[in-house]
Amino acid sequence: VLERHDRPLRALAFRLLGDRDRMDDVLQDAYVKAFRSLPRFRRGSSIETWLYRIVYNACLDELRRRRADRTQSLELVPELGSAVDPADASGRSGLLADALGGLAPEPRAAVLLVDAGGFDYRTAAEILGVEVGTLASRLGRGRASLRRALSTTHEGAEQR
Amino acid sequence: MTDRDEQLGAALRELEVPEHRPGFELELRRRLGQPAPRHLPRRGYVAGVAAAAVAAGLALLLVGLPQHGPTTALAARVKAKVAERLASAETLSGTFVYHSAGSHVPAATRGSFAMDFLGNMRVEDLDTHAVAVYDASTGVERSLNTSASMGGSTLFAAERSGVAPGPPDGGPSDVFLQLQLMSFARVLLAQADPRVRPTTYDGRDAWLAEIPVAPNRRYPDYDHLSITIDAATGVAEHVVGTLGGRPQFDLRVGDLAVDARLPAGVFTLKLPRGAEVQHLDDGFRRVDLTRVAAAARYEPLLPRDTPAGYRYDTVAVAPRKGVVSLSFRRGFEQLMLTTRPRGAAPAHDPFRLQGVPASAEPVTLHGGALDGALARVTIDPRAVPHLWAATDRLVVTVSGDLTRHQLIHVAESLQAGAGPSAQTCRADELRVAAQVQGATGAALGEVSVTKVGRRGCDVAGRPQVALVRPDGAPLPLGVVPLRPAFPPVALAPGESASATIEVRNWCGGAVDPVNVRVSIPGVATLSAPLSGGVQLARCDAPSRPPTLGVGWFRHD
């Protein structure tokens, strides 16, 4: 199960935390937690949703810890461009990654789950532990910022 | 309704995702208190590929030759062919394309695979050139993988050594995969009348087998298999697994070759110098059968009888845990026997970590070292068929591609050590023959014994062999014991066993005729003329004595 979901979970954790080592640390904890709470997993519910929820909450905990440690705003997570392939940092992907990094974790997670991950609103809301209306609101905020980044890239490309 | 920004989603999915740091999986398993991984770290992808490859292999093995006639008769012939092909195939190779619906971004994997009846395996991703190789003779898996996220030239290498020969102690990756593989076969074999109907595939005549499957209870994976078989070649070219009607995986096989000669070195993988190599050790060591008791600190149990065609393969010991793991093979089938010290805690099924909670049938064993013990037999399409029982000191498992009756029969034939049993053959029950040929300086050959008469009996161990002149005077040969040791051989009427003999450094010229005198541990002493001659051995050093090497009896 972990093998099947590991890549999208890595994507979510990395985009939320912005750092490979932190991603791995959080996923270690989350996977151990998931494994140990398997006996309490409710049959009939989606194991995928359950896994995502554990990972998402672990990421939020990590971000909170970091904020407490460094008195850092949640919005000021590290520049993602520094953690990805240098070739990625320029061009469309780099701008998008930067724009994503500029979002607060909550709208960022909403966009990642619905638009990149393909979850429906109800499932994404369940993962994030919010109402569907709240999810839609976060999604709206997140998309607006990211679309701006994408359209800037397109304009840049056209100007060349 | 869910409104989705597809353009944004596509752009987000293009962003790179880093792979785990080296050692992530190992660290995770340590924290979970799990045994060593079934596949190498960093090769989850490759393992998936291997799963596909092996599944493909099975699908092919399932099929046999083109069939005609009524469905029921067809199904029966297919089932018989499955068993025959699995038991007789020596190599299997080909390519495949595998689609999994397991992730949100469906990805296709293209790969090649090769495997042989000795348990060796190679799987390669044709796009990334990630490769994994398992050497069954040494119990070493090696893999080499490139990282898509960290640059195409970065190599991640891993070496997992000390791998158990088979379940329930992890075993090589292909054992786990063969579990899936074999589950396909078992599912088909378990069907009284599998649904098989004519169809077309890629414009050609084909057969379609529709097989319902009980999904994994905890993590439902698929509940239906559709296997499309090319009618002209008898090859299964397409396998689709679905769950509730939704596709879960889609596998297409190409370039399949059964029993083709594989390229030299196909099961060898040299890790490049300078590559970062992650080392893992599962703790099992291949040893000679005669060293098992010393390594495990108890006398091993050995089967006096195995189903027809199974041959002793290897034995490994995990000295720290005292686990002894014996492997027997028949084509692509494997029979495993394991013993482990029983701890203070209540004994349990060592297979329970396989994650398939199948029911177990209690059976009281009669005969052998486990006489009177209560065994539990599990026959379930999703698990390796197995039996386990506990004595006051040991927990014993017998597992593999066996029927319920065969599992019980093997368990009831277990005896401590490799020595003679109550069923040891008498002299009048055996016919002996011996021959040698010239080979790289030695006169190399074998002593063979054939069972005559009605009842079955055992030969075991290494025979005492002497080469004698017609007057009965033995030739002055220093006897050298040869390895490896083999378990006792149960001979049915007409069957034979043989032991290797080799004469070296013979400087005494031609001696003709020479007779061979064979004393089998137990009671039998037999003699027969030696075909060939000691003079076939090269005289290397006249000042040193000639030698006669003698091996253990093994099943022919």
Side-chain angles (χ1 to χ4, degrees), chain B residues 96-150:
Chain B
F96 61 89
V97 180
Y98 180 76
H99 292 264
S100 169
S103 66
H104 289 291
V105 186
T109 303
R110 298 187 315 119
S112 66
F113 65 93
M115 57 190 79
D116 70 10
F117 72 106
L118 298 173
N120 299 308
M121 184 182 83
R122 180 189 185 93
V123 181
E124 187 165 357
D125 187 309
L126 294 176
D127 293 317
T128 67
H129 301 293
V131 59
V133 166
Y134 176 64
D135 181 340
S137 65
T138 58
V140 175
E141 285 188 355
R142 286 179 164 180
S143 72
L144 199 53
N145 210 342
T146 55
S147 167
S149 63
M150 299 179 72

Side-chain angles (χ1 to χ4, degrees), chain A residues 137-151:
Chain A
S137 162
R138 290 179 181 180
L139 206 49
R141 273 192 288 146
R143 282 173 178 167
S145 297
L146 297 179
R147 280 171 183 157
R148 275 199 297 277
L150 277 179
S151 92

Side-chain angles (χ1 to χ4, degrees), chain B residues 23 59 257 356:
Chain B
V356 183

